[in-house]
Amino acid sequence: QPARMKDGAFVSALRALVPLGNRLGEIASGLVKQGALGLILIDATPLLAIEKLHGARAFRSSIDALAEGVRSRVEGAIGEEMLLASGALEEEHLLVFMPRLRDDAEFFLHDLPRVSAELRAWASQGLKRVVYPYLNRVPELAVGAGFVLHRPFQRPEAQLRHLIDQTLEDARFEHERSRRQRGGMLEKILLEQTVTTVFEPIVALASNAVLGYEALSRGPSGTGLETPMALFGTAELFDREYELDSLCRRRALSNARGIASDQLLFLNI
């Protein structure tokens, strides 16, 4: 278990999201006392669209909701020994600092990347509640992780600035790598025509009779593109909407042969 700081600077009582500058001394002290500091950075720049559309209050409300979700998941994964702050000037950057003993290799090599990956996965699914009702489409957030080992001859503030810069670079790299992987997977789906069609019955309320079926398309299991939102969102991102729409209609018509001739087939076009 990680050692707890005696002065209580990194305990869960400090739950309010505050700018980095307000906690810089505490974070620097944690680095010096423990000898090392882990960081998970969430780049919520896409949420700035909320401020443009609905104002600063709506933006800060969304950032606070995101911060609470991040805090809950980090605490559940590694405990309460952490401090969450927003960027000094960039409120859209969430910074999760975790002081640790510098010889805690298990934490830095395994726990930190694992929690970062779990947050990245959560952001892709759980962000819908954060942006509702301000955005119709759930944006993608970049998440990265890094750590710094204390150097006695260098100012802690300088080391923190370097850590933040490097972790932001890691977040953006992981985001781009994931984006390109999804693009490659989409091309594979289009070429191999592995879209699955699900037929949802359309029922008359008065008689409870099935009038027909709506054809709904899904991506292959295990690809990360199973849901319509992920599948069609990726197609839009890579300008493959026409190809995907055409494939989905072809597959729907081909798979609809078992539907009775007196029933309707509904396609999204």
Side-chain angles (χ1 to χ4, degrees), residues 51-139:
E51 184 171 22
K52 292 181 180 179
L53 295 171
H54 303 281
R57 180 177 295 182
F59 166 73
R60 290 199 174 96
S61 174
S62 297
I63 286 291
D64 287 342
L66 174 63
E68 189 56 38
V70 169
R71 178 187 286 111
S72 174
R73 279 150 187 82
V74 174
E75 287 181 352
I78 61 175
E80 299 178 348
E81 201 73 15
M82 53 163 281
L83 188 144
L84 179 61
S86 60
L89 294 177
E90 305 86 357
E91 291 185 56
E92 65 275 14
H93 290 173
L94 297 183
L95 311 169
V96 185
F97 293 97
M98 294 154 284
R100 290 294 188 277
L101 298 175
R102 64 182 299 144
D103 61 355
D104 192 351
E106 179 69 20
F107 172 78
F108 292 113
L109 296 178
H110 301 287
D111 294 342
L112 190 60
R114 172 181 57 80
V115 175
S116 177
E118 289 175 357
L119 278 177
R120 193 177 299 113
W122 170 77
S124 68
Q125 300 294 327
L127 204 59
K128 188 173 183 179
R129 291 185 178 182
V130 171
V131 302
Y132 179 83
Y134 306 115
L135 299 179
N136 294 326
R137 178 165 298 174
V138 178

Side-chain angles (χ1 to χ4, degrees), residues 191-206:
L191 292 172
E192 296 182 348
Q193 302 185 45
T194 49
V195 165
T196 300
T197 307
V198 178
F199 293 97
E200 185 75 19
I202 307 297
V203 179
L205 295 179

